[in-house]
Amino acid sequence: MKYYTNSKSKKAKGWVIAGSIVGVIAVFFLVINLIPPAKVVENNPFLVKEGELPMLAAHRGGSITSPENTLKAYESALNDYDVDIFETDLWLTKDGYVVLNHDSDINRCSDVEVITGSSESYKIADHTLDELQNFNMGYNFAGVDNSYPYRDLVTTTQEDRKDVIKQNDLSIVTINDLFDRYYDTNKDLLFIVEIKNGGEKGYQVADILDDLLTNTYPDYKDRVVIGTFHNEIENYLKEEHQTLHRGASTGVAAKFVITTLTFTNLFDFDDFTCLQLPLSMYGIDLTWDIYIQEAHERNAAVQYWTINEEDEMRKMIEKGCDAIMTDDPGLLREVLNSYK
């Protein structure tokens, strides 16, 4: 009988200890989630005010409405659809220029295979800016009616083809070209740029960007956020270019999602200006309100890519994100106007 009583007492004591541990853990998580995280950016130009509609970001300038990453696309995005943000990707040429293009080569968009007679990948890194400017970057743009409106712009042997392509805003674009076009007239423009090169070339692109934004286009320095899929470029920007706005890299964004889901976000000290997310990744829904709320508590903006369907646009508008990146700025402008 005595043994039985002691056994019950030990079990009860064990439950008390277990309950106490659970209670301490619960209190711990409650306390850390009541503590507001530090603001990573005091004045974040990529944040919209509460109750305002998200900003419209033209992904690659709007690849559904115009030839992607060309000045023709950005002109249309701004003048036809009144976009707030230009989005693009950056690569380094053989002779050290930073140009706009999504792929590492120009084959998909241009007439390079027609001109060279070869389907071999025409890598940006292997060619000079002068060589790249010889090609029509709107050649393979089909448009909604599949009419290829820019294929007859110039012939393959036309002596002035490079000049004609440039006059029609269909040359490959340098980052200087993009900034130059709008710097004097559109100071309120915002830019999302992604450094596609990794390693030393990526570092060089970061250096060039900082120099341009500090010395040549200072009014745009607070208007550009830089992203990358390369962790070493993320670290380089953080260590060597602390005055530039950074988007969360893939690894940093994943860490943010995990710490948010486990309610340990207070221990995530990454100081990004913008959290750029797809709607989902690896089966994880990334549109939950908690991601937007946690980012906003840090004063970080939340931008979603790449949304081309109306129902998804409306979903994210109503979630209260700060920007929607789309290939179809015309459709998103219509949707946004319907809310107004």
Side-chain angles (χ1 to χ4, degrees), residues 147-163:
S147 62
Y148 297 99
Y150 306 111
R151 283 199 169 175
D152 296 327
L153 181 66
V154 287
T155 66
T156 57
T157 57
Q158 192 169 326
E159 290 185 5
D160 63 344
R161 62 174 274 118
K162 187 180 291 187
D163 293 332

Side-chain angles (χ1 to χ4, degrees), residues 253-266:
K255 181 180 172 185
F256 177 87
V257 168
I258 292 169
T259 56
T260 298
L261 292 176
T262 56
F263 302 101
T264 56
N265 204 265
L266 187 66

Side-chain angles (χ1 to χ4, degrees), residues 153-208:
L153 181 66
V154 287
T155 66
T156 57
T157 57
Q158 192 169 326
E159 290 185 5
D160 63 344
R161 62 174 274 118
K162 187 180 291 187
D163 293 332
V164 172
I165 293 168
K166 185 174 182 179
Q167 289 164 8
N168 282 272
D169 286 337
L170 290 171
S171 297
I172 196 164
V173 182
T174 68
I175 192 64
N176 303 62
D177 293 332
L178 186 65
F179 290 159
D180 272 340
R181 176 67 64 97
Y182 302 103
Y183 190 67
D184 291 332
T185 56
N186 299 90
K187 298 287 190 184
D188 58 342
L189 264 175
L190 291 164
F191 301 84
I192 300 169
V193 301
E194 180 186 330
I195 297 176
K196 301 289 276 189
N197 293 101
E200 290 298 327
K201 289 185 177 179
Y203 301 154
Q204 192 174 344
V205 173
D207 293 341
I208 291 170

Side-chain angles (χ1 to χ4, degrees), residues 4-139:
Y4 175 73
T5 303
N6 287 342
S7 177
K8 285 183 66 176
S9 177
K10 287 180 179 178
K11 284 184 178 179
K13 189 175 182 179
W15 280 111
V16 170
I17 294 172
S20 298
I21 293 172
V22 171
V24 169
I25 293 172
V27 171
F28 170 74
F29 276 100
L30 177 63
V31 170
I32 67 171
N33 282 281
L34 289 175
I35 301 171
K39 289 186 177 182
V40 293
V41 181
E42 192 60 37
N43 297 305
N44 188 342
F46 293 90
L47 275 172
V48 297
K49 295 179 181 178
E50 186 174 352
E52 289 186 350
L53 294 170
M55 297 184 199
L56 195 170
H59 186 249
R60 308 180 198 174
S63 60
I64 288 176
T65 52
S66 296
E68 65 182 65
N69 286 311
T70 62
L71 285 176
K72 183 175 286 293
Y74 293 106
E75 281 286 286
S76 175
L78 185 64
N79 297 320
D80 297 335
Y81 309 118
D82 192 26
V83 305
D84 305 289
I85 307 173
F86 288 166
E87 189 276 345
T88 191
D89 308 284
L90 306 178
W91 291 93
L92 192 69
T93 68
K94 182 179 179 180
D95 53 342
Y97 287 91
V98 177
V99 296
L100 282 52
N101 205 59
H102 179 267
D103 307 340
S104 61
D105 61 42
I106 63 169
N107 293 53
R108 180 172 57 85
C109 297
S110 77
D111 57 353
V112 64
E113 294 181 7
V114 176
I115 302 300
T116 63
S118 170
S119 60
E120 184 178 349
S121 180
Y122 201 87
K123 297 284 187 184
I124 291 172
D126 296 336
H127 295 88
T128 65
L129 177 62
D130 185 64
E131 291 169 332
L132 293 164
Q133 287 174 331
N134 193 49
F135 303 105
N136 176 4
M137 297 301 293
Y139 185 81

